[in-house]
Amino acid sequence: MKVIEKRRSVREYQSREVSDEILNRILEAARLAPSARNRQPWKFIVVRDPKRRRELAEAARNQSFIGKAPVVIVGVALDPNHIMSSGVPAYAVNMGISMEHIALAAQNEGLGTCWIGGFSQEEVKKILGVPDAYKVACLMPMGYPADSQGTRIRKPLEEIICQEQYS
Ligand SMILES: Cc1cc2nc3c(=O)[nH]c(=O)nc-3n(C[C@H](O)[C@H](O)[C@H](O)COP(=O)(O)O)c2cc1C
C-alpha cells in the first residue's frame, strides 16, 4: 500500500542514470505479470538513446518531458486482435497490468514514471521498428523525480463502490 499511495505521475526527471541492476528488477515485475491464458503476448522496449527518446517525445504530441527521462519503456502488444469472450480486448488489460507492475516496481526503487497514452501509433512504430500487426500500448518515461508535486485527488470510495448490484 505504501508504494501505491506514493506513486504519482512524474513529469520532471533528474539526469541521473538508472542502473541496469535496478532496471532489471523493474522489468522482472513486468515479466511476472498475469495475462489472459498466460499468453504473455508482449514486448517491452527499453529506450535509452537520447535521440530516439526525443523522437518519441515528438511522436507523443511534443510532450517534451518524455525525451528528458533517462529511460523510456514502451509496451508493445503482440496480439491486439484478441477479444475475450466478454467482448473486452485482452491486450488493453494485459498491457495495463504489466505496465502498472513496472510503474509500481519503479516507485519501489525510488523512481518516478508517467503513463503516456497520447502518441501517434504510426510514428512510434516507425521510430522503434515495431511490426504493423502489433500495437504500441503505452510509453512510460522513467527517472529519478526532480519535481515536488503531491498525489492527485481521487473520488471517495462511496462513489466508486456498490454492493451486490450496480447502482
Ligand atoms: C492510460 C493513461 C494514459 C495517460 N496518458 C498521459 C499522457 O499522454 N500524458 C501525461 O502527461 N499523462 C498521461 N497520463 C497520466 C494521468 O494524467 C495521471 O495518471 C492522472 O492524472 C492521475 O494522476 P497521478 O498519476 O499523479 O495519480 C495517462 C494515464 C493513463 C492511466
Side-chain angles (χ1 to χ4, degrees):
M1 278 309 286
K2 266 190 201 147
V3 169
I4 290 171
E5 280 167 1
K6 275 197 171 161
R7 190 219 55 82
R8 62 191 171 81
S9 292
V10 171
R11 298 182 179 88
E12 258 184 82
Y13 310 93
Q14 299 171 29
S15 54
R16 188 176 155 196
E17 286 300 323
V18 178
S19 74
D20 286 342
E21 193 191 342
I22 289 175
L23 191 58
N24 284 342
R25 281 203 294 269
I26 293 168
L27 295 171
E28 178 68 3
R31 193 179 74 84
L32 295 176
S35 58
R37 295 191 191 159
N38 197 25
R39 283 182 179 177
Q40 303 159 66
W42 44 44
K43 284 266 190 179
F44 304 93
I45 307 176
V46 177
V47 182
R48 287 187 186 269
D49 179 69
K51 181 170 169 279
R52 200 165 281 132
R53 286 191 273 117
R54 272 197 305 276
E55 287 172 357
L56 287 178
E58 279 167 29
R61 301 181 314 179
N62 288 314
Q63 299 185 75
S64 56
F65 67 91
I66 298 167
K68 292 176 187 150
V71 188
V72 180
I73 298 177
V74 180
V76 181
L78 307 185
D79 64 346
N81 299 321
H82 176 203
I83 307 289
M84 297 182 285
S85 50
S86 59
V88 175
Y91 87 88
V93 182
N94 292 334
M95 296 313 295
I97 295 169
S98 58
M99 293 303 294
E100 188 60 8
H101 271 209
I102 288 176
L104 293 176
Q107 175 66 48
N108 190 48
E109 301 284 352
L111 286 156
T113 57
C114 186
W115 273 85
I116 303 293
F119 61 88
S120 157
Q121 185 68 222
E122 288 67 36
E123 284 175 37
V124 170
K125 275 183 175 167
K126 210 161 132 193
I127 294 163
L128 302 178
V130 176
D132 245 2
Y134 302 156
K135 182 88 108 186
V136 178
C138 87
L139 316 182
M140 187 167 278
M142 179 185 294
Y144 291 95
D147 62 2
S148 56
Q149 298 198 344
T151 49
R152 286 266 175 106
I153 291 165
R154 292 294 196 265
K155 293 177 180 176
L157 213 50
E158 309 83 75
E159 195 179 327
I160 60 167
I161 305 294
C162 14
Q163 305 292 338
E164 308 296 346
Q165 281 211 306
Y166 185 89
S167 61

